[in-house]
């Protein structure tokens, strides 16, 4: 389940950290009379009442921090906005007015905290500001109860030791919840696994072409990354954006954007495999950004290829997609890009 991000903004010493601690019932953020006590954003996962459910609270640095590190702290605070679902704003002043205007332009619901207001009252108002949307399945309309679904999951050096990656876990759980029968295998055991009557094959994008060669054409095929793109992002925009791959020329710059931060592996899909596929088309320059380091100026790029976003919120992916479209830069995601690069996009089933 995707966690709601509730971010707390305000001037230095406006009570953000105290409020976050009070909501959590424990000391999450250090509280002090010294201005600028909170530096980097502090995050805390919680379960909240009044129908809010699982959430992550983000305590940010003061908007009017006048210290030497103030500009860097304000930049970190601005970076939080892209993934914010609900903004709780404390205090007043020019910096707060500027923030509110930014939040409104980003269509982020704003809840103003009233000094002395109880936590329960604040949470009730947060609950009433929640965006209302229907449940979105990762697998969309690709499956029905009772169907067998084969999941192809490479267990190479890029796979985390002793566990499955988050998209695989999420899809397995959803299939179980929807009354399907998930059957897991590796690329090496796929041919044998296909002896069962499967209604759909979901694969890791990095082995798309290999799996396509093995799976009969009458069995629909898709990938974990494409399912995430459909549930969290704008699949139509990603498919249209992938057309830019056909127009890449020597010297063009491509941005590979990762929502998380991880230590890259020699078989890393974003830093090794996708750049290698791109360079079979043209001698492009590939830049990598990870975590919150998504550039504000995207104009140097001919294409942005975003990761599946397994740890990112739909709010973050929509924000980044919006920035790309606003600046006229095509954007796609790993699964769609790999399918087009390997000439099998027309074969892929979209949720």
């Amino acid at each position: 389940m995707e966690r709601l991000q509730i971010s707390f903004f305000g001037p230095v010493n406006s009570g953000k950290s105290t409020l976050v601690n009070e909501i959590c019932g424990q000391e999450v953020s250090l509280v002090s009379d010294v201005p600028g006590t909170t530096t980097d954003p502090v995050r805390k996962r919680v379960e909240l009442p009044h129908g809010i459910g699982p959430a992550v609270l983000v305590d940010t640095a003061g908007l009017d921090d006048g210290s030497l590190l103030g500009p860097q702290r304000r930049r970190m605070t601005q970076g939080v906005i892209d993934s914010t679902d609900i903004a709780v704003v404390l205090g007043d002043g020019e910096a707060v007015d500027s923030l509110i205007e930014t939040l409104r332009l980003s269509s982020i619901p704003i809840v103003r905290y009233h000094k002395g207001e109880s936590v329960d009252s604040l949470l009730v108002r947060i609950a009433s500001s929640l965006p209302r949307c229907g449940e979105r399945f990762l697998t969309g309309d690709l499956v029905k109860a009772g169907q067998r679904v084969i999941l192809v999951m490479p267990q190479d050096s890029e796979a985390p030791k002793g566990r499955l990656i988050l998209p695989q876990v999420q899809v397995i759980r959803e299939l179980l919840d929807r009354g399907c029968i998930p059957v897991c295998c590796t690329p090496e055991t796929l041919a044998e696994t296909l002896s069962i009557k499967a209604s759909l094959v979901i694969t890791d994008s990095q082995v798309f072409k290999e799996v396509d060669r093995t799976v009969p054409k009458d069995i629909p095929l898709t990938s974990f990354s494409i399912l995430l793109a459909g549930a969290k992002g704008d699949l139509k925009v990603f498919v249209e954006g992938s057309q830019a791959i056909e127009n890449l020329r020597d010297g063009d710059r491509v941005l590979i954007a990762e929502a998380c931060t991880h230590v890259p592996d020699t078989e890393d899909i974003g830093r090794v495999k996708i750049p290698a596929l791109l360079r079979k088309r043209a001698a492009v320059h590939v830049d990598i950004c990870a975590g919150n380091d998504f550039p504000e100026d995207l104009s140097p790029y001919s294409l942005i290829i975003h990761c599946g976003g397994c740890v990112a919120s739909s709010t973050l992916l929509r924000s980044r997609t919006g920035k790309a479209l606003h600046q006229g830069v095509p954007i796609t995601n790993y699964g769609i890009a790999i399918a087009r690069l390997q000439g099998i996009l027309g074969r892929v089933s979209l949720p």
Side-chain angles (χ1 to χ4, degrees):
M1 178 182 292
E2 192 171 305
R3 285 181 177 266
L4 185 79
Q5 178 168 311
I6 305 172
S7 303
F8 294 75
F9 302 98
V12 169
N13 284 5
S14 59
K16 300 183 299 297
S17 299
T18 299
L19 181 56
V20 169
N21 290 345
E22 191 175 351
I23 292 173
C24 295
Q26 59 181 280
E27 187 176 29
V28 175
S29 297
L30 180 63
V31 176
S32 168
D33 292 333
V34 177
T37 300
T38 301
T39 55
D40 293 345
V42 177
R43 292 172 168 83
K44 176 63 177 178
R45 291 172 176 258
V46 295
E47 292 284 334
L48 296 175
H50 303 296
I52 299 174
V56 56
L57 308 185
V58 184
D59 182 14
T60 63
L63 297 169
D64 56 347
D65 187 341
S67 68
L68 290 175
L69 292 178
Q72 291 92 322
R73 289 171 179 168
R74 286 192 293 276
R75 180 178 59 82
M76 295 291 287
T77 295
Q78 290 293 326
V80 171
I81 294 175
D82 287 346
S83 55
T84 294
D85 296 298
I86 300 284
V88 178
V89 179
L90 292 75
D92 298 291
E94 184 178 339
V96 171
D97 292 340
S98 176
L99 170 73
I100 289 175
E101 181 62 24
T102 299
L103 294 170
R104 285 175 175 160
L105 290 173
S106 301
S107 300
I108 297 173
I110 302 168
V111 176
R112 298 296 299 265
Y113 173 69
H114 310 305
K115 191 172 183 180
E117 181 182 11
S118 70
V119 165
D120 193 65
S121 171
L122 175 63
L123 292 179
V124 168
R125 293 198 297 119
I126 289 174
S128 67
S129 300
L130 293 177
R132 306 298 176 186
C133 57
E135 184 176 16
R136 298 180 69 181
F137 290 113
L138 287 168
T139 48
D141 59 357
L142 296 179
V143 299
K144 296 178 181 178
Q147 292 182 331
R148 292 180 175 87
V149 180
I150 294 176
L151 310 177
V152 185
M153 303 181 294
Q155 299 303 301
D156 54 20
S157 62
E158 192 181 359
K161 185 177 180 180
R163 60 185 176 88
L164 300 175
I165 61 174
L166 185 57
Q168 295 167 355
V169 174
Q170 290 173 327
V171 171
I172 291 172
R173 175 56 194 267
E174 179 176 294
L175 291 172
L176 292 172
D177 288 344
R178 299 188 72 178
C180 299
I181 305 169
V183 181
C184 304
C185 69
T186 63
E188 294 76 18
T189 59
L190 173 60
E192 181 179 353
T193 308
L194 283 167
S195 62
I196 71 168
K197 186 178 180 181
S199 300
L200 175 68
V201 173
I202 305 171
T203 182
D204 191 295
S205 298
Q206 64 179 313
V207 290
F208 236 151
K209 195 165 187 176
E210 176 185 347
V211 171
D212 175 55
R213 286 196 296 261
T214 306
V215 176
K217 301 307 179 191
D218 61 336
I219 300 178
L221 172 66
T222 191
S223 78
F224 293 103
S225 178
I226 288 174
L227 295 183
L228 284 170
K232 292 186 175 186
D234 191 323
L235 199 55
K236 181 180 179 182
V237 167
F238 289 155
V239 171
E240 291 175 351
S242 71
Q243 294 175 1
I245 289 173
E246 311 295 343
N247 301 320
L248 289 175
R249 299 290 182 266
D250 293 352
D252 284 348
R253 291 179 66 183
V254 176
L255 176 66
I256 304 289
E258 300 173 341
C260 66
T261 302
H262 67 280
V263 178
D265 183 83
T266 54
E267 296 181 281
D268 192 89
I269 187 170
R271 298 171 184 244
V272 178
K273 294 184 177 180
I274 291 178
L277 288 171
L278 288 170
R279 287 170 180 142
K280 288 181 179 180
R281 298 287 185 106
V284 298
H285 300 288
V286 176
D287 294 335
I288 308 289
C289 70
N292 292 325
D293 295 333
F294 192 73
E296 286 297 321
D297 182 11
L298 302 171
S299 60
Y301 298 105
S302 299
L303 175 66
I304 299 167
I305 304 178
H306 205 286
C307 70
C310 59
V311 301
S313 67
S314 55
T315 300
L316 178 65
L317 290 184
R318 286 196 302 268
S319 173
R320 291 184 173 182
T321 301
K323 287 182 178 181
L325 294 177
H326 180 71
Q327 297 183 46
V329 181
I331 183 169
T332 187
N333 93 320
Y334 281 13
I336 297 293
I338 291 174
R340 183 175 286 278
L341 283 162
Q342 295 185 331
I344 61 171
L345 184 56
R347 158 79 165 106
V348 172
S349 294
L350 305 178

